[in-house]
Amino acid sequence: MIRKREIHLILDGYARDGITIATMGSHTALQILKGARDEGFKSLVICKRGTEEVYQQFGVADELLIIENYEQFMEKKFLEKLIERNVILIPHGSFVEYLSPKRIENELLVPMLGNRMVLEWESDREKEREWMEHADLRLPKEFKDPEDIDRLVMVKFPGAKGGKGYFLAGNPEEFERKLKKSGLRDKDRFTIQEFVIGTRFYPHYFYSPLKNRLELLSMDIRYESNVDGLSRLPHVSQDGTPEPSFVVTGNIPVVARESLLNPILKMGQSVVKASQELFSPGLIGPFCIETICTEDLEFVVFEISARIVAGTNLYINGSPYSQLLYQEPMSTGRRISREIKDARREDSLDSVIY
Ligand code: AMP
C-alpha cells in the first residue's frame, strides 16, 4: 500500500502554478479535461494507442501521451514523466478497471485525487455491503441458500462486465436450471439478490472536505441493453421470454420529485459519514449511489461508485441541480478541478490528494 507520506512528499515538490490535471483517455475524460481547462489548469490525457483520435478531435487536452498497453502506465519511467509535469491524476471508471484497484493502491506512485482506500471498499462486494449497512441504507434482501428463494431474484457474478450474464429467477428450480445453462461461471461466488421493482435513480454527489459539504450535482438513469429494449417487444410476439441482460449502453437525464431530494441528500450524507468512520479520511470528491425507488417512495441501494460516473457526461454544461449551487456551468469534471484549485489556494492540497 502506497503511504500518503510518500505521495505528499512528491506533491511538496510540485510547482504550485504548474499543476497539470491528467487522466486516461476514456469514460469521462473529455469532461474532466474541459473542467481542468475551465479552472485554469494545464491538461494531459494518456491514451492507449488507437484511442487518441477522440481527444485530438475535441482538443480538450494540452498534451497527449500515448502508451502501447496499460502495463506501460505503471512503468517507473512513465510515472516519472508524469511527476516531471506536476501531474495530479483523476481516476474514473475505466481508469480503475484497466489499471486495477490493487495496482493503483500499491504501485501508482503519482498524486491522485481522493482516498485510495476507497478502491478496496468499493471493489469487494462484502466490504461494500458492510459500508452500505454501516450507512443504514436499505439494501435488497440477499439469499445465502438458493433453496430459500421465495420471490423474483437477480443472480449476480463477480466481474460480470456491465451485468452481462446476470440472470433472474423466481424459485429454486428456475435458479438451478438457469445456473446449469449458464455454463462456465464461477458457480460458488454468485450473489442472489431480491430483484427490486421500482424506478432507478443514480444521483451524482460531490463531497468537499475543504467545505465539509455534500453537493448533489446531477442524476441519471442508465440505459441498459437488452432489458430496456425488451419493453418494446409486444408480448404477443414473444415466443418464450428472452433472458434480460443489463449491459449499460447509455445514460438518460432525470430529475427526482422535489420531495425525494431530502432522502437523496440524506443517503449521500450517511455514505460519507460511514466512509469516514470505516476508512478515514473517507470519501473525497465525486461518487454515485445506485438506487431503486419503490412505489412506497423508499430508496433501495444496490451499489456505490466511489468516483466520477459516466452518467455525469450528460451535464458538461451543468444540470438543473448544479445550476442552483453555482452561477456557472458546473460539471462534475469541473467541480473536481475547482476543489483542487481551492485546495491549492488554501495550501491544503494534501487534504484532497493521496
Ligand atoms: P450492477 O452490476 O449491480 O450495477 O447491476 C447492473 C444493473 O442491474 C443495474 O443498473 C440495475 O438496472 C439492475 N439491478 C442491479 N441490482 C438490482 C436489484 N437488486 N433489483 C433490480 N435491479 C437491479
Side-chain angles (χ1 to χ4, degrees):
M1 173 77 137
I2 292 174
R3 268 178 255 157
K4 66 177 180 200
R5 215 152 31 92
E6 296 173 86
I7 293 287
H8 288 165
L9 246 151
I10 298 173
L11 198 57
D12 283 345
Y14 275 12
R16 288 301 188 254
D17 54 359
I19 288 175
T20 302
I21 302 293
T23 195
M24 190 187 279
S26 184
H27 196 261
T28 38
L30 290 170
Q31 179 198 157
I32 292 170
L33 298 164
K34 175 172 165 30
R37 186 173 280 171
D38 289 345
E39 292 301 307
F41 288 109
K42 283 195 264 182
S43 56
L44 164 74
V45 64
I46 301 136
C47 293
K48 189 174 159 199
R49 189 175 297 286
T51 64
E52 64 275 21
E53 204 178 317
V54 173
Y55 303 93
Q56 286 161 343
Q57 276 268 330
F58 286 105
V60 284
D62 298 324
E63 192 183 1
L64 191 150
L65 293 178
I66 293 188
I67 52 176
E68 300 304 325
N69 48 53
Y70 295 120
E71 279 295 305
Q72 207 186 325
F73 201 114
M74 293 293 182
E75 284 172 11
K76 197 160 170 267
K77 244 175 49 201
F78 188 75
L79 298 182
E80 281 168 1
K81 226 187 238 186
L82 299 180
I83 291 171
E84 265 167 35
R85 289 164 171 75
N86 302 307
V87 155
I88 293 178
L89 289 169
I90 312 299
H92 54 52
S94 310
F95 183 101
V96 176
E97 189 184 327
Y98 298 155
L99 299 184
S100 103
K102 279 243 152 7
R103 297 196 72 183
I104 295 174
E105 277 190 82
N106 298 322
E107 297 171 47
L108 189 59
L109 198 58
V110 175
M112 190 174 100
L113 174 89
N115 175 358
R116 291 180 200 226
M117 263 187 291
V118 86
L119 296 169
E120 192 185 323
W121 282 83
E122 173 200 56
S123 59
D124 176 325
R125 258 199 215 284
E126 270 167 41
K127 282 199 140 156
E128 190 189 29
R129 200 165 170 93
E130 184 187 337
W131 178 7
M132 297 192 290
E133 278 172 355
H134 194 83
D136 241 350
L137 301 174
R138 186 173 154 198
L139 309 183
K141 184 177 161 65
E142 279 196 4
F143 295 84
K144 292 277 167 258
D145 184 350
E147 283 303 311
D148 296 336
I149 297 174
D150 61 356
R151 65 193 83 182
L152 189 63
V153 295
M154 186 171 203
V155 184
K156 299 184 174 185
F157 297 86
K161 256 210 174 137
K164 199 163 190 183
Y166 289 4
F167 65 80
L168 304 184
N171 51 55
E173 296 71 43
E174 192 179 358
F175 170 84
E176 284 305 333
R177 183 164 42 81
K178 289 188 173 169
L179 186 68
K180 228 179 245 148
K181 218 173 94 190
S182 70
L184 288 166
R185 292 188 206 108
D186 182 356
K187 295 190 176 157
D188 301 326
R189 292 190 53 217
F190 47 74
T191 308
I192 306 174
Q193 205 171 73
E194 162 192 15
F195 187 88
V196 183
I197 297 183
T199 51
R200 288 165 302 134
F201 286 96
Y202 300 77
H204 315 141
Y205 304 91
F206 189 95
Y207 175 68
S208 160
L210 296 178
K211 292 200 166 87
N212 185 18
R213 179 167 98 154
L214 178 79
E215 298 170 5
L216 173 68
L217 288 180
S218 46
M219 259 182 245
D220 78 300
I221 299 179
R222 290 186 194 155
Y223 208 31
E224 293 170 336
S225 187
N226 64 1
V227 69
D228 289 316
L230 282 179
S231 58
R232 301 182 62 202
L233 268 185
H235 285 286
V236 58
S237 76
Q238 288 183 31
D239 186 13
T241 319
E243 191 65 45
S245 56
F246 300 83
V247 179
V248 180
T249 53
N251 302 85
I252 310 174
V254 67
V255 288
R257 261 172 91 147
E258 198 150 306
S259 56
L260 291 176
L261 292 181
N262 200 32
I264 289 174
L265 280 168
K266 286 240 149 56
M267 277 190 295
Q269 281 151 356
S270 353
V271 164
V272 171
K273 184 159 172 278
S275 75
Q276 292 167 342
E277 287 162 4
L278 292 171
F279 51 96
S280 169
L283 262 176
I284 292 170
F287 68 101
C288 171
I289 308 181
E290 304 177 17
T291 73
I292 297 171
C293 187
T294 67
E295 62 187 355
D296 305 321
L297 301 180
E298 273 202 74
F299 286 95
V300 185
V301 172
F302 56 90
E303 217 163 292
I304 301 174
S305 295
R307 40 154 183 90
I308 184 169
V309 292
T312 60
N313 283 339
L314 286 163
Y315 306 107
I316 291 190
N317 261 327
S319 81
Y321 300 114
S322 75
Q323 279 166 39
L324 296 168
L325 293 167
Y326 293 93
Q327 306 308 315
E328 55 204 322
M330 187 58 72
S331 67
T332 295
R334 183 170 183 183
R335 184 63 188 84
I336 289 171
S337 282
R338 176 66 58 90
E339 189 76 0
I340 296 172
K341 194 160 99 177
D342 290 347
R344 180 177 63 182
R345 196 184 52 240
E346 293 174 19
D347 203 16
S348 49
L349 276 173
D350 56 5
S351 62
V352 290
I353 309 295
Y354 286 88

